[in-house]
């Protein structure tokens, strides 16, 4: 019987052989190949947003609109991605990971073509919403695939590989979007995205296996009960059912804390053409796009290191407790990222942009963007492994509920960034973001300190093994 003083997730020896068989289904090469494929799909969500943001001024001119109105496309796509994550996670739990990838990639292909041929703002917004839904499995399901294939003590490193690969696009997308806008048109980057979607669909169709644990899919249970599936349509699954996981105080707290971390990214990146670029007289779309890259490079550098460090922390503290597993150990590294690099980078960027002119100010801002990229990965990446650890059997749904709740908050916050900078200035806006990041730090501390007790409050199907 679990209590508030006994870890809910203590490893049970009788289950070890069964778990070993589950994680030994695929060879090392097969696992790496699967991680490579989901990493390529994980490249797509940042590519969708990263190629779009540097082109906002050109898109606004092309569609006879304004920057804030086109910026609304970002808010709507963030919100749409949250719904998409709920939808794909629910169906991946029932049908498996592979069918969801094979259904969503064609939608992404078609919607990217739609964005490319948009001639007015309503068309653009509509296709951007569908594009966000089509690309949503990239991160929502990829994390679940890692949890399907890797044991507890290997999961952080595998997650780091997946996320570092997917974060490459955070560094590459803005300059690519800028090059496309400067030499050709913002529409070219959308056509390239559609071609990438088609290629990924063909690769996944030919090579990607089903990774769900045998007998755990809703489909398996459905057939075991002798029920008959519809022949001409998929079974209806309420995509909002994953939100019931938000009854867990842990999921709410982690989502809010990560939202505070991610908000610093958006506050530094979205208004960049109107803040850093304007302050230092950068008008070339290529150079504006290049200014986004340091943050993505920080992500890339930090992700594999963070994954390795988190696994070491888990093993270290597990040994200290005599083999007893406390999943909150994964979040110890999040404290460092949330306390220092995340809030300080956004706070100092506002001050530097306002008071330091010339090459020195631009150089400092580039360094602070890089610093923010490292800090956000330090604070957020352990949370992905943490959610898989505590909700292994519902990893896709927990990830989707986390993304959905975070995305709703982010969509509201993102829509207010440019108006707030116009009204109150960059220093006030960035200072508020830093304060919110420190609040996120306190939420991580609360989870580490009291997570075991909070799991005892409401049981939403927490894992009992690794």
């Amino acid at each position: 019987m679990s209590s508030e003083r006994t870890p809910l997730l203590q490893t049970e020896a009788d289950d070890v052989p069964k778990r070993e068989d589950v994680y030994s289904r695929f060879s090392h090469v097969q696992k790496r190949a699967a991680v490579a494929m989901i990493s390529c799909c994980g490249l797509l969500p940042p590519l969708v947003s990263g190629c779009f943001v540097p082109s906002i001024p050109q898109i606004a001119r092309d569609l006879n609109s304004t920057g804030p109105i086109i910026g609304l496309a970002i808010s709507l796509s963030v919100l749409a991605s949250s719904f998409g994550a709920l939808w794909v996670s629910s169906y991946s739990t029932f049908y498996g990971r592979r069918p969801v990838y094979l259904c969503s990639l064609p939608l992404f292909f078609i919607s990217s073509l739609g964005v490319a041929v948009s001639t007015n703002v309503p068309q653009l917004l509509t296709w951007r919403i569908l594009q966000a839904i089509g690309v949503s499995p990239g991160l929502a399901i990829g994390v679940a695939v890692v949890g399907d294939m890797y044991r507890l003590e290997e999961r952080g490193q595998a997650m780091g590989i997946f996320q570092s690969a997917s974060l490459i696009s955070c560094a590459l997308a803005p300059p690519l979007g800028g090059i496309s806008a400067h030499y050709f048109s913002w529409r070219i980057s959308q056509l390239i995205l559609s071609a990438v979607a088609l290629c990924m669909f063909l690769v996944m169709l030919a090579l990607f296996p089903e990774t769900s644990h045998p007998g755990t899919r809703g489909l398996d249970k459905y057939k075991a009960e002798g029920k008959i599936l519809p022949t001409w349509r998929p079974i209806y699954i309420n995509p909002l059912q994953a939100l019931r996981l938000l009854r867990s105080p842990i999921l709410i707290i982690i989502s809010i804390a990560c939202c505070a971390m991610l908000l610093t990214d958006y506050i530094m990146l979205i208004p960049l053409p109107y803040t850093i670029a304007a302050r230092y007289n950068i008008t070339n779309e290529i150079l504006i796009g290049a200014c986004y890259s340091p943050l993505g490079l920080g992500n890339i550098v930090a992700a594999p290191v963070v994954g390795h460090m988190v696994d070491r922390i888990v093993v270290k503290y597990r040994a200290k407790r005599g083999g007893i597993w406390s999943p909150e150990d994964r979040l110890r590294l999040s404290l460092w990222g949330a306390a220092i690099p995340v809030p300080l980078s956004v706070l100092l960027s506002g001050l530097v942009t306002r008071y330091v002119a010339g090459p020195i100010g631009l150089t400092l801002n580039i360094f602070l963007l890089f610093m923010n990229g490292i800090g956000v990965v330090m604070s957020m990446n352990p949370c992905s492994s943490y959610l898989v650890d505590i909700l292994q059997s519902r990893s896709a749904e927990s990830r989707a509920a986390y993304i959905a709740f975070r995305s709703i908050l982010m969509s509201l916050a993102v829509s207010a960034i440019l108006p707030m900078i116009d009204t109150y200035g960059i220093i006030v806006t960035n200072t508020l973001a830093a304060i919110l990041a420190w609040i996120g730090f306190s939420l991580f501390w609360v989870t580490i300190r009291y997570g075991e007790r909070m799991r005892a409050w409401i049981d939403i199907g927490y894992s009992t093994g690794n």
Side-chain angles (χ1 to χ4, degrees), residues 48-103:
V48 168
S49 58
C51 289
F52 190 84
V53 173
S55 306
I56 287 178
Q58 187 184 94
I59 297 172
R61 291 193 302 269
D62 194 13
L63 301 183
N64 297 315
S65 186
T66 63
I69 294 297
I70 301 302
L72 183 63
I74 299 175
S75 298
L76 290 176
S77 63
V78 169
L79 190 60
S81 69
S82 68
F83 173 79
L86 292 171
W87 178 72
V88 300
S89 69
S90 298
Y91 278 91
S92 77
T93 300
F94 187 87
Y95 284 104
R97 319 305 187 197
R98 175 181 162 86
V100 168
Y101 277 115
L102 298 182
C103 290

Side-chain angles (χ1 to χ4, degrees), residues 239-407:
L240 300 181
Q241 67 181 3
L243 293 179
R244 296 185 71 248
L245 296 176
L246 293 176
R247 294 176 297 146
S248 165
I250 289 180
L251 208 54
I252 290 287
I253 289 173
I254 290 296
S255 300
I256 293 174
C258 289
C259 183
M261 302 302 115
L262 191 60
L263 183 60
T264 63
D265 260 11
Y266 281 84
I267 282 180
M268 295 180 76
L269 294 179
I270 289 178
L272 192 148
Y274 304 99
T275 54
I276 294 175
R279 178 70 171 88
Y280 301 107
N281 300 315
I282 302 173
T283 57
N284 185 296
E285 288 90 348
I286 298 176
L287 296 179
I288 291 175
C291 289
Y292 289 88
S293 297
L295 193 146
L297 290 173
N299 294 157
I300 295 170
V301 169
V305 177
V306 167
H308 179 69
M309 291 176 66
V310 168
D311 279 346
R312 288 176 63 90
I313 290 171
V314 168
V315 172
K316 174 183 175 181
Y317 280 89
R318 191 177 187 178
K320 280 187 176 181
R321 298 189 188 94
I324 295 175
W325 171 40
S326 179
E328 283 73 32
D329 289 337
R330 283 205 188 273
L331 301 179
R332 294 181 183 276
L333 191 61
S334 297
L335 288 176
W336 291 96
I340 302 173
V342 171
L344 288 183
S345 60
V346 69
L347 177 64
L348 293 176
S349 178
L351 293 172
V352 168
T353 303
R354 177 66 178 84
Y355 294 112
V356 184
I360 295 178
L362 179 60
T363 302
L364 288 174
N365 264 304
I366 289 173
F367 171 75
L368 292 170
L369 285 164
F370 179 77
M371 177 180 172
N372 184 263
I374 292 176
V376 167
V377 167
M378 285 181 64
S379 57
M380 290 184 61
N381 279 26
C383 298
S384 298
S385 298
Y386 174 68
L387 293 179
V388 172
D389 289 348
I390 64 174
L391 289 162
Q392 169 68 60
S393 62
R394 305 188 69 182
S395 55
E397 292 174 276
S398 65
R399 174 72 173 177
Y402 155 76
I403 290 176
F405 184 72
R406 190 188 74 189
S407 297

Side-chain angles (χ1 to χ4, degrees), residues 213-245:
H213 290 182
T216 61
R217 295 180 303 172
L219 179 64
D220 300 327
K221 299 173 183 177
Y222 206 81
K223 291 180 177 179
E225 294 171 0
K227 297 180 180 179
I228 300 176
L229 291 170
T231 57
W232 59 276
R233 62 172 176 84
I235 190 170
Y236 173 73
I237 299 174
N238 181 5
L240 300 181
Q241 67 181 3
L243 293 179
R244 296 185 71 248
L245 296 176

